[in-house]
Amino acid sequence: MSTTSASPSALASGDGYDSDAPFLDVYSPASGAVIGHVPVASTADVDAAVARAKAALPAWSSLPIKERVQVIFRYRALLEQHIDELTALVTQENGKIESEARAEVLKSIELCEFAVSMPQITSNEVLEVSRGVECRIERHPVGVVASIAPFNFPNMVPNWTIPNAIVLGNTMVMKPSELVPLSVVRLAELLREAGLPDGVFNIVNGGREVVEALCDHPDIAAVSFVGSTKVAQIVYRRATANLKRALCMGGAKNHLIVLPDADREMAASNIVASMSGCAGQRCMAASVMVAVGPTDAIIQRMVEVAKNVVPGSTLGPVITAEAKARIERYITEAEAAGATVLLDGRGATVEGQDGGFWVGPTILDHVTPEMKIAQEEVFGPVLAIVRTPDVDGALAIENASPYGNAASVYTESGGMARLVAERASAGMVGVNVGVPVPREPFSFGGWNDSKYGVGEITGRGSIEFWTQAKKITTKWNQDAGTNWMS
Ligand code: NAD
């Protein structure tokens, strides 16, 4: 297995990297200080990583799946054993507060639990299709696969793909976000400790050029991507133009439809948690609240709850200075366009952490669907409230978004909940749940411009993406004779 590490000297001697390779600085979003380095992969480094994955493929893919899962059983135990350290690493490089970072590692553990169930759920299908003739379907790995990850979940998103793809017999080249590459280095070390053979899991660091090299590489059979819609489109087009299988998860603009009969306390705390958790940097974060009819009491309570979300204690920083500037620009432009700022997170500071990229929770009322803040992904702790008189109007606003990751409805009426769940144009729908992430064995994944490609990235649906089916038709019975098919 090829790994990189946070220390430049260790990196220079890491497999496959040129000791003169340029290094990429990794910053703490809470302080702005440099906390580590990783080497940038050259095209030759990408070739070397793919070659290692290709060399490891025959032995790894020919192991029975029951043997392959043993590595992930041990990896899961190591994630649990090292949870404090992995949590701290996520906080250091991504900025998440401790409880959010820990939840991310716990989710990685759950992802492993699903992966180790694969022998139970991927057993082959067999049927006697005519007298003496048997048809059987086997699932084979796709080959060397690439996995490209975003900055917002340095531990969990890599683990969306690592356990399932590897258990299903593939070997992998992972390209973590250049903003948060350190967690994956540690995951690689734990995989090695768990007994994963060399070459099955490989890391290449860098940005656009490295992703392009992976999309173009003739020995890579499949590319999975998680990130913004803009880049998801680029990667999907490039990988499929090179005749590869691709699954590209994009950005989001999640609408929460709030009806006047919603439970005030539950809705208010849940919506604030959705818009401000992980500093709003989740593809499942609440972005637009569509307030249907008289909902002022709920909005008022939301503002009270959000005032208790405090940068530096219950709210982490956003990822970069550019992200902070972008988020604050959206707020300023919305205000100039006529939105009412109920709670203003611009200019937030944290004592002793002056260099950090802080944005406080922000709630804007009377946003109109035409405003930029109602249409584009902000990716910060900002909620735009759009008012509408009825559910049809709310659904029209939700349906008009080109994205389709998640949508939620808050109501005490089962009938209204059912209606919204049916008509929302989103792959994941919540009823009184602001972050409706499907847990294993269910698959994660949006619709429309939030996902390109067929299949799912996690859960049962991922089996289709990480394998190819072989159909074997067999006849051993001479007496069966010949019919119109065989
Ligand atoms: P991003 O698209 O900027 O980067 C994602 C990856 O693409 C990184 O590894 C980056 O190095 C690479 N990349 C960047 N520009 C590239 C280019 N021009 N060509 C090729 N590769 C390039 O995303 P991000 O800012 O790291 O992450 C945040 C985004 O990810 C948000 O839009 C969020 O909604 C989305 N996201 C989506 C999901 C989902 O499941 N739908 C999950 C998590 C995050």
Side-chain angles (χ1 to χ4, degrees), residues 213-260:
L214 291 170
C215 291
D216 294 347
H217 203 292
D219 289 332
I220 286 186
V223 174
S224 80
F225 170 90
V226 182
S228 61
T229 289
K230 182 175 148 231
V231 182
Q233 289 178 353
I234 293 170
V235 171
Y236 188 75
R237 289 201 174 103
R238 193 154 181 151
T240 54
N242 283 313
L243 307 178
K244 298 180 196 316
R245 188 180 281 208
L247 184 58
C248 298
M249 320 295 281
K253 188 77 188 166
N254 304 317
H255 292 70
L256 269 48
I257 297 177
V258 180
L259 305 189

Side-chain angles (χ1 to χ4, degrees), residues 148-152 157 160 175-178 206-208 211-212 225-229 231 234-235 249-252 283 377 379 405 444 450:
I148 300 152
F151 79 81
N152 63 332
V157 168
W160 275 1
K175 209 294 286 173
S177 164
E178 61 275 43
R208 176 182 163 182
V211 172
E212 289 175 353
F225 170 90
V226 182
S228 61
T229 289
V231 182
I234 293 170
V235 171
M249 320 295 281
C283 66
E377 183 174 35
F379 223 52
N405 216 41
F444 186 98
S450 294

